[in-house]
Amino acid sequence: MAQPLELKKTLNLPKTDFPMKAGLPQNEPRQLEAWHNGNIYEGILEARKGKPLFVLHDGPPYPTGEIHLGTGLNKILKDLVVKTKSMAGHYAPYVPGWDCHGLPIETQVEKELGGKGKVPPAEFRKLCRQFALRYVEQHKKDFKRLGIFGRWNDPYLTMSHEYEATIAGAFLDFMEKGYVYRGRKPVYWCIYDSTALAEAEVEYEDHTSSSIWVKFAVVVGHRGDIAGLGSDVSAVIWTTTPWTIPHNRALAFHPDFEYAVVDTEKGALLLASDRIAALQAECGIKEARVRATFKGRDFDGMKFQHPFLPIQVPGILADYVTLDQGSGVVHTAPGHGADDFYSGQKYGLEIYAPLDDKGLYLEGLPEYKSKDVFTANPIIVKLLAERGALLGNNEYKHSYPHCWRCHNPVIFRATEQWFIKMDQAAHGKEKSLRQEALEEIHQVKWFPAWGEDRMYEMIEKRPDWCVSRQRFWGVPIIVFYCEGCGTRLEDFKALRSVVKWFEKEGADAWYQHTSEELLPAGTKCSCGSTKWRKENDILDVWFDSGSSNLSVLKGAEWPADVYLEGPDQYRGWFHSSLLVATGVRDASPYRGVVTHGWTLDEQGRPMSKSLGNALYPIEICEKWGADLLRLWVGSVEYQADVKMSERVMTQLSEAYRKIRNTFRFALGNLGDFNPSRDALSNDHLEEIDRWMLDRTAELVKKCREWYANYEFHRVYHAIHDYCVVDLSAFYFDVLKDRLYTKAPKNKSRRSAQTAVWKISSALVRLAAPILVFTSEEIWKHFPKSQGEPESVHISLFPEAAVLACGIAKDAAEKWERLAQVRSAVLVALEQARAAKTIGGGLEAKVHLHAGPEAAGLQKLLEEKQSLLPALFIVSQVEVHSSAIPASVPAETLPGLTVKIERAEGAKCDRCWNYSTHVGENSRYPTVCERCSDALAEIENDGSASVAVS
């Protein structure tokens, strides 16, 4: 007879090359290189050919520096969308893009040059292009480091020839349809960068202004006598922009408010009755006795004397006057405010704003003429005081518009600009651009839902779109003026010939060729002249990026299925894209819009270099790895603002470790498992294994629904909890005895391995979009079925229906209840361990009894008694038909009583269980009856070379 087997070598202990320590910062770059060499992105698309199309259209960031955490959040979220759609069976291309024009890049290039105007426009544009390309390449490298797949070798750039031609063509479409006009209106203006700004190029920051209360004397003879006023009365206005006082052209009253003349130590003053107390508080007025009251409409047409200029200004009526602050009488300068401008149009007021591009006064009194507006503020306050018109002057800290690039305060300034009419219908149409855009908003699915109202409100209330900028780095406005008579060229066939130049040479052609070269030969004005002058302005950069859908999305790719950006894009890219697409193609460019929040530090502060609280994606990759950053993105409710800190990353590291160890356990116990050879069909699996597969199928179903709705945090938390609670702490723990001690080919062990294999296969694919590197590493070590792809990212999500075993409802309920019993027994075991009744669980014998208050439990325990030792990981379990002496009620399960004693018999040298049958096997005298059977099976199989030498 052969020698007895060496017991230790007969155990099926876990064995895998999958390391416990991830080493993500070191290993991820190697995986990136492998993906690059294997053309992973192209491989995914090839595998999805012919599948339903899904398009996420990338919003282009500016290539102006190191990517920050917010950019990382944005790109990883987009990658999660694309990967989840691909693994759900879609053909999901991802074309990254960059917004290469505009002020951010001009500003950086000017810094490198040491100022503005250092080189000619054509050379300046060349430098801007080089700068943008430099950072595009850096961004590509950084984004790829985050595990983001895409068409990196051919991204879209707004400065490419094709793209610039598309922008120019879109503008001509708007012009030809009748939307475009040139007019003089107040727009945001940066006096430091000398350019108009769009709404989306303005950021609100704290600013301290002079808050002044100023008197405008009533002019007797212009309805002053009729209203019962006298020459001693002055209307009171309040403003935080003293520099606009020279350009005042009216005082606005609300027609329905009550106004009062009050006698004070500073004269008889006219203001809204509800604002008298505020006037007294801010101007130090002790007494204010009401002389008479009036309605605002009484002052329509009345004249008031400007405090220091020889002009009289009218009283006008306006519904925008409020009682929130000020006097209820609004200082109106039509050249410096939107409401003021519209009132100016209504009443025929002069749109007066004699400032140059640097904000210097071109006209006015010697005190402030030739000075910039902010320098003039205290000068004008002093001038008002000297003329006896200043009632009060205080510092006022408030939120004020600033240029998004130079972060200096901006002004409202009326200038000649190009505009797109919001309330104009295209030629041959009935509905205006605004009406069409508002209707399209309702056709879009918004995540979160409040996005719909936000976008609707912004489109509903926005003014005409100012699309011209006084810069060089962008797409020029294709407009020509006759040098003979000044008439604008409206031959659109001739104008579109410029687009063809752009297709060949890009927008640089505008600066490198004469008008005669750009236009068809013989292009003539009605006056007979053939000489044309080119427009100097370029298009708003938001028109550029808003045209991306026209340039990038080809054929069935338009409209995109989803846009995903931060909340600022409701006035930025979401906004401009909607207007451009509606104007050109009469429809929204997106079917869905997903919004994420801002990234904050642990204290809820925005991250910035100046605060010293910024964390950068590349720093995180170098310290923790990209998968940890992706795990953070997948774990947060990103539609609100999200916090990040080293403490958060440390916590996630622990969560990651637990998930990794769960997979490592699975891989260690599948080392000898070949799915094609060893997997059992569902009907041959043990009941607990079938029950866990059903539970996994339910998890798959939920996770796929959450992925479809972009609820990534739900997926992460579900996978984490399933790994830690359901698998590691329960199912895998229960399986250890079966996996380790049964004969390798034992049906019970193969049942467990089959379940572990199927569960792990499902989980690694569910986790793949989030843990992009780790899942690929797991997949390399995973026993795969024939025909499965080499990369997990080419595989598809698991199908819940395929995974499910369809265990009967009552059987599933039994296992749910047994799991509750297990939890109660574990508490009792821990108490026995603390009382030193036992050392470990295998030293225990558990006595159980369930009373009538736990309906049906006693019968269930008796039915499943043979399975309970493995379920509880103890040596023996006895179910009693009557009350157990000295037992204690289970703390977590009413009606169940538990008693823990030391197990009977001796300890088995092989499985460490205690048994009264140890010693009965003469060949293996130190093992229990279970191990005797396993050893016999191993010997009969003849595959074990584990004999004692």
Side-chain angles (χ1 to χ4, degrees):
M1 179 179 282
Q3 289 288 319
L5 303 176
E6 187 177 340
L7 296 182
K8 184 178 180 181
K9 292 183 178 180
T10 65
L11 294 171
N12 310 302
L13 297 178
K15 185 178 180 181
T16 178
D17 293 330
F18 182 75
M20 182 182 295
K21 186 174 175 60
L24 295 176
Q26 297 76 36
N27 292 327
E28 287 175 344
R30 289 193 281 270
Q31 182 58 66
L32 284 173
E33 186 178 359
W35 280 333
H36 175 73
N37 294 337
N39 297 314
I40 182 66
Y41 173 70
E42 292 76 12
I44 292 170
L45 291 185
E46 181 64 29
R48 301 291 185 267
K49 268 189 176 178
K51 301 296 183 182
L53 177 67
F54 181 91
V55 176
L56 177 146
H57 183 37
D58 188 32
Y62 286 106
T64 53
E66 185 179 3
I67 65 170
H68 53 75
L69 189 62
T71 318
L73 170 72
N74 176 272
K75 289 295 184 184
I76 291 172
L77 283 171
K78 290 173 180 174
D79 191 56
L80 289 177
V81 171
V82 174
K83 282 188 169 73
T84 56
K85 293 301 179 182
S86 173
M87 293 188 74
H90 289 271
Y91 184 87
Y94 174 62
V95 182
W98 278 268
D99 196 352
C100 302
H101 293 138
L103 191 57
I105 291 167
E106 286 204 33
T107 301
Q108 293 299 322
V109 172
E110 286 168 352
K111 283 181 182 177
E112 292 183 358
L113 289 172
K116 304 176 190 293
K118 299 289 185 179
V119 295
E123 178 65 18
F124 184 73
R125 287 175 60 85
K126 180 181 177 183
L127 293 173
C128 287
R129 186 179 298 277
Q130 291 172 350
F131 179 94
L133 278 174
R134 186 163 79 240
Y135 278 101
V136 164
E137 290 307 311
Q138 182 59 50
H139 281 196
K140 278 187 194 178
K141 180 181 176 184
D142 292 347
F143 289 143
K144 285 191 279 188
R145 178 64 186 87
L146 302 180
I148 297 166
F149 299 162
R151 201 178 76 187
W152 297 112
N153 61 336
D154 184 26
Y156 80 85
L157 306 177
T158 61
M159 65 182 182
S160 72
H161 295 176
E162 179 191 3
Y163 197 115
E164 289 181 332
T166 300
I167 297 167
F171 177 75
L172 290 179
D173 287 342
F174 272 89
M175 184 175 279
E176 191 167 8
K177 290 180 178 183
Y179 287 124
V180 178
Y181 69 96
R182 186 166 176 82
R184 193 161 185 264
K185 283 185 176 184
V187 294
Y188 286 117
W189 187 272
C190 178
I191 66 173
Y192 303 92
D193 290 314
S194 302
T195 187
L197 298 173
E199 287 270 352
E201 295 170 323
V202 169
E203 295 177 346
Y204 283 81
E205 300 176 16
D206 287 343
H207 182 71
T208 300
S209 303
S210 292
S211 163
I212 61 172
W213 300 71
V214 180
K215 296 192 293 185
F216 281 65
V218 170
V219 177
V220 178
H222 288 275
R223 296 194 60 203
D225 294 334
I226 298 172
L229 301 175
S231 59
D232 64 332
V233 176
S234 295
V236 179
I237 66 95
W238 170 83
T239 184
T240 58
T241 54
W243 64 268
T244 61
I245 293 290
H247 304 159
N248 175 279
R249 289 301 179 266
L251 303 187
F253 298 79
H254 194 289
D256 300 324
F257 290 171
E258 181 183 271
Y259 290 82
V261 173
V262 292
D263 291 314
T264 75
E265 64 267 31
K266 295 188 178 183
L269 306 176
L270 170 63
L271 72 160
S273 298
D274 287 351
R275 300 302 297 165
I276 295 172
L279 171 74
Q280 289 183 268
E282 295 196 33
C283 298
I285 293 174
K286 296 178 181 178
E287 294 186 12
R289 183 173 52 82
V290 176
R291 178 194 297 181
T293 59
F294 308 88
K295 285 293 184 184
R297 64 177 60 91
D298 296 332
F299 304 106
D300 187 16
M302 185 176 290
K303 294 288 185 178
F304 300 88
Q305 180 62 48
H306 192 283
F308 55 74
L309 294 177
I311 60 172
Q312 296 173 359
V313 299
I316 62 174
L317 305 181
D319 290 336
Y320 56 76
V321 178
T322 70
L323 299 174
D324 296 338
Q325 52 190 179
S327 66
V329 182
V330 175
H331 149 58
T332 302
H336 297 296
D339 289 334
D340 305 47
F341 174 79
Y342 292 119
S343 288
Q345 285 193 315
K346 179 179 177 181
Y347 283 92
L349 305 175
E350 181 184 14
I351 311 301
Y352 187 64
L355 304 174
D356 70 6
D357 291 353
K358 295 293 183 182
L360 304 178
Y361 288 92
L362 300 174
E363 300 176 7
L365 300 182
E367 287 88 340
Y368 56 84
K369 186 179 178 182
S370 299
K371 292 181 171 60
D372 74 79
V373 294
F374 296 118
T375 301
N377 264 331
I379 296 171
I380 290 169
V381 172
K382 182 182 177 184
L383 186 60
L384 289 167
E386 291 172 349
R387 300 297 175 93
L390 186 67
L391 287 170
N393 177 23
N394 302 290
E395 283 194 349
Y396 180 67
K397 190 173 183 179
H398 59 134
S399 182
Y400 186 85
H402 286 64
C403 174
W404 68 328
R405 274 298 125 190
C406 68
H407 297 287
N408 286 304
V410 301
I411 64 173
F412 251 112
R413 175 194 177 205
T415 61
E416 287 282 334
Q417 301 288 341
W418 289 96
F419 294 90
I420 288 176
K421 299 177 186 177
M422 290 300 299
D423 296 308
Q424 172 76 39
H427 296 319
K429 287 196 163 192
E430 295 182 359
K431 293 178 181 176
S432 68
L433 180 61
R434 189 190 310 275
Q435 289 171 320
E436 289 195 351
L438 290 174
E439 288 180 3
E440 286 301 310
I441 289 169
H442 295 313
Q443 308 306 313
V444 176
K445 191 168 184 180
W446 300 86
F447 303 87
W450 54 253
E452 180 173 353
D453 290 339
R454 186 168 183 179
M455 180 61 86
Y456 193 94
E457 183 179 4
M458 287 198 164
I459 297 292
E460 184 181 40
K461 295 181 178 179
R462 69 155 296 140
D464 287 351
W465 185 1
C466 176
V467 293
S468 51
R469 296 292 180 271
Q470 292 64 50
R471 311 294 295 181
F472 291 117
W473 180 229
V475 176
I477 292 176
I478 301 183
V479 167
F480 296 87
Y481 304 94
C482 174
E483 290 194 355
C485 66
T487 300
R488 179 164 61 85
L489 178 62
E490 295 188 0
D491 180 345
F492 287 97
K493 185 177 180 181
L495 291 172
R496 290 191 187 277
S497 68
V498 180
V499 176
K500 295 178 181 177
W501 279 95
F502 285 11
E503 289 172 353
K504 291 183 293 182
E505 300 181 12
D508 289 344
W510 189 259
Y511 301 92
Q512 295 170 344
H513 296 278
T514 65
S515 299
E516 288 70 31
E517 290 174 312
L518 294 172
L519 292 169
T523 301
K524 186 183 293 188
C525 178
S526 58
C527 74
S529 174
T530 57
K531 296 290 185 182
W532 299 95
R533 173 176 57 86
K534 289 180 282 187
E535 171 64 61
N536 291 322
D537 290 352
I538 63 170
L539 282 164
D540 172 17
V541 70
W542 290 105
F543 192 93
D544 289 14
S545 60
S547 302
S548 64
N549 65 93
L550 305 177
S551 177
V552 180
L553 306 180
K554 308 296 185 184
E557 294 173 347
W558 199 99
D561 290 284
V562 72
Y563 278 32
L564 188 157
E565 301 297 336
D568 52 336
Q569 298 310 315
Y570 283 92
R571 62 191 183 108
W573 190 56
F574 296 159
H575 194 119
S576 64
S577 296
L578 177 64
L579 292 182
V580 170
T582 304
V584 174
R585 294 192 179 174
D586 304 318
S588 167
Y590 40 71
R591 296 187 179 99
V593 169
V594 179
T595 310
H596 63 76
W598 303 108
T599 53
L600 309 174
D601 71 6
E602 202 166 17
Q603 283 74 47
R605 300 173 302 174
M607 290 190 173
S608 69
K609 285 183 179 178
S610 59
L611 288 175
N613 64 348
L615 286 174
Y616 291 89
I618 298 309
E619 291 177 357
I620 292 171
C621 289
E622 290 172 353
K623 184 171 183 179
W624 286 290
D627 262 4
L628 263 293
L629 180 60
R630 296 179 69 95
L631 198 64
W632 171 72
V633 173
S635 70
V636 296
E637 294 191 46
Y638 66 86
Q639 292 178 359
D641 294 343
V642 292
K643 294 182 179 180
M644 165 62 97
S645 65
E646 292 219 4
R647 186 177 64 85
V648 168
M649 291 305 296
T650 301
Q651 291 172 343
L652 281 172
S653 296
E654 180 61 19
Y656 171 84
R657 185 187 65 81
K658 291 178 179 178
I659 294 172
R660 184 180 183 89
N661 284 347
T662 302
F663 280 110
R664 189 168 186 272
F665 176 89
L667 293 173
N669 285 284
L670 294 173
D672 65 338
F673 184 79
N674 182 327
S676 302
R677 179 193 66 209
D678 302 323
L680 303 182
S681 60
N682 286 349
D683 56 344
H684 286 92
L685 299 179
E686 294 197 5
E687 192 174 65
I688 188 174
D689 301 328
R690 287 186 281 125
W691 174 58
M692 285 304 296
L693 284 171
D694 276 359
R695 295 189 64 193
T696 307
E698 186 60 31
L699 175 71
V700 167
K701 180 182 177 184
K702 289 179 179 177
C703 285
R704 293 194 61 170
E705 288 172 356
W706 291 327
Y707 268 143
N709 290 317
Y710 312 118
E711 296 177 285
F712 307 124
H713 67 287
R714 290 180 179 271
V715 176
Y716 158 72
H717 289 292
I719 291 174
H720 172 269
D721 292 350
Y722 200 69
C723 285
V724 175
V725 179
D726 297 79
L727 296 182
S728 294
F730 171 60
Y731 182 56
F732 285 178
D733 206 24
V734 170
L735 286 187
K736 287 176 182 175
D737 185 73
R738 245 200 294 168
L739 290 167
Y740 298 172
T741 67
K742 294 290 184 181
K745 299 179 182 179
N746 180 272
K747 182 180 176 183
S748 176
R749 182 170 182 269
R750 290 304 193 202
S751 174
Q753 285 183 303
T754 301
V756 170
W757 174 67
K758 288 186 175 182
I759 291 169
S760 302
S761 174
L763 287 178
V764 71
R765 286 179 285 157
L766 286 178
I770 299 173
L771 295 175
V772 62
F773 292 96
T774 304
S775 61
E776 189 77 304
E777 184 185 7
I778 293 166
W779 194 255
K780 288 177 184 176
H781 294 84
F782 195 74
K784 291 179 277 291
S785 297
Q786 191 173 359
E788 286 195 290
E790 287 300 308
S791 171
V792 69
H793 301 295
I794 298 178
S795 69
L796 295 169
F797 279 143
E799 296 286 346
V802 174
L803 199 60
C805 296
I807 191 172
K809 183 181 178 182
D810 62 335
E813 289 173 350
K814 287 179 181 179
W815 280 106
E816 296 285 354
R817 205 161 190 200
L818 287 173
Q820 294 173 357
V821 173
R822 182 178 188 271
S823 297
V825 169
L826 292 182
V827 172
L829 286 169
E830 189 57 42
Q831 291 170 345
R833 207 175 278 117
K836 308 222 183 285
T837 305
I838 59 171
L842 292 179
E843 295 181 11
K845 178 177 182 178
V846 178
H847 299 269
L848 297 174
H849 172 70
E853 58 268 48
L857 183 56
Q858 180 68 21
K859 182 180 178 182
L860 174 60
L861 294 175
E862 292 170 354
E863 177 189 337
K864 302 291 186 182
Q865 181 167 352
S866 63
L867 303 176
L868 297 182
L871 187 64
F872 304 154
I873 315 178
V874 296
S875 290
Q876 294 136 22
V877 176
E878 184 176 348
V879 178
H880 296 259
S881 59
S882 59
I884 309 166
S887 63
V888 295
E891 294 182 3
T892 58
L893 193 56
L896 178 69
T897 55
V898 184
K899 182 179 180 181
I900 308 296
E901 291 181 335
R902 285 193 66 82
E904 299 168 356
K907 180 181 179 180
C908 173
D909 277 355
R910 184 170 180 272
C911 71
W912 297 4
N913 277 266
Y914 282 75
S915 171
T916 57
H917 298 284
V918 173
E920 292 180 355
N921 186 329
S922 59
R923 183 169 171 77
Y924 297 101
T926 62
V927 304
C928 66
E929 70 280 14
R930 293 166 59 252
C931 287
S932 291
D933 292 341
L935 291 166
E937 191 173 343
I938 292 170
E939 289 182 331
N940 289 336
D941 180 56
S943 62
S945 56
V946 290
V948 176
S949 58

